[in-house]
Amino acid sequence: MESLELRPIEKAKISCARRLFNEISTENVVYHDVDSYQSLLNIMPSIDKKIMNA
């Protein structure tokens, strides 16, 4: 499993991307950090609620 650990430069790129997407998120477009299809499915109900209330 050690070979699957991210190198520091990769961690830094991910951190920068998270900050960028958080800054460019708007009321209509929101960035969510997902690492699997299941985690995407888990956040969908909250996204649906926001769409329905808009």
Side-chain angles (χ1 to χ4, degrees):
M1 295 304 280
E2 275 186 33
S3 64
L4 297 177
E5 289 185 25
L6 297 175
R7 297 179 302 183
I9 190 71
E10 294 164 328
K11 289 179 183 180
K13 289 178 183 180
I14 292 169
S15 176
C16 288
R18 282 185 179 133
R19 284 191 302 241
L20 171 66
F21 284 111
N22 283 330
E23 285 185 27
I24 64 173
S25 290
T26 66
E27 185 177 310
N28 298 321
V29 178
V30 178
Y31 167 75
H32 290 278
D33 190 13
V34 296
D35 58 3
S36 68
Y37 183 68
Q38 186 59 50
S39 63
L40 174 62
L41 292 177
N42 292 343
I43 64 163
M44 289 307 293
S46 67
I47 293 171
D48 287 341
K49 279 184 186 177
K50 289 178 183 176
I51 292 171
M52 298 290 271
N53 292 331

